[in-house]
Amino acid sequence: MKISVDHIQEKALTIQIDEPVDSFPVLSGMQADGTCLFIGPVRGQVSAVREYDHLRVEGNVDVAVSLTCSRCIAPYETHIGSNFTIFFRKGSMGQETDEEETELNDQDLVSATYSGDEIDLTHEIEEQVAMEVPFKPLCSESCKGLCPTCGKDLNQGECTCKRDSVNFKFSALKDFKVSR
């Protein structure tokens, strides 16, 4: 998704996003490696405006996704969304040759550079979605997971396994004997 820099003025330029996941290489890679399954297009809105020596791009993205719960391994569907603001400055990556350490401020953390007469938002949009995919997805905060003995989904009811209160931190020491 590209925006022509000449079209961005002091009045905001608003663009609707409705792109298939295949348009974003990082998201396609996440889907290919089994991290998640995107079940709809990436939708949202981007607003770009010219300010002083930079361009400010604000937006939001949303995509439907199917994940696997990390506790009960059941698939579930949810939406992943993100609001973002990115400041673009004209220049090229690696332009700074000064090797001194520089302290970054908050605006530097959400800044990017562009060259030429277009800004390609593909990487920024896919990055926003990828950062919102949970590392350990949960179908619900109250998910009970699986029984460690028989593997039954404890969300569907209790199992008949005997449960001893075991502290796994010290289980390696249970057969430890001291001789005098």
Side-chain angles (χ1 to χ4, degrees), residues 145-160 163:
L146 302 175
C147 172
T149 306
C150 68
K152 180 178 179 179
D153 185 351
L154 298 176
N155 296 313
Q156 297 176 358
E158 292 296 319
C159 63
T160 58
R163 293 215 179 101

Side-chain angles (χ1 to χ4, degrees), residues 19-85:
E19 297 285 328
V21 172
D22 297 341
S23 302
F24 303 98
V26 170
L27 302 182
S28 294
M30 291 174 71
Q31 192 161 264
D33 72 12
T35 302
C36 59
L37 175 64
F38 295 100
I39 52 178
V42 176
R43 292 193 170 119
Q45 181 174 324
V46 172
S47 175
V49 66
R50 188 174 298 273
E51 294 179 335
Y52 307 109
D53 64 339
H54 63 269
L55 304 171
R56 179 172 42 96
V57 176
E58 294 179 321
N60 60 62
V61 290
D62 183 74
V63 62
V65 65
S66 176
L67 299 167
T68 302
C69 181
S70 61
R71 288 185 191 163
C72 68
I73 64 171
Y76 70 99
E77 294 180 5
T78 188
H79 279 265
I80 292 178
S82 175
N83 296 318
F84 60 91
T85 301

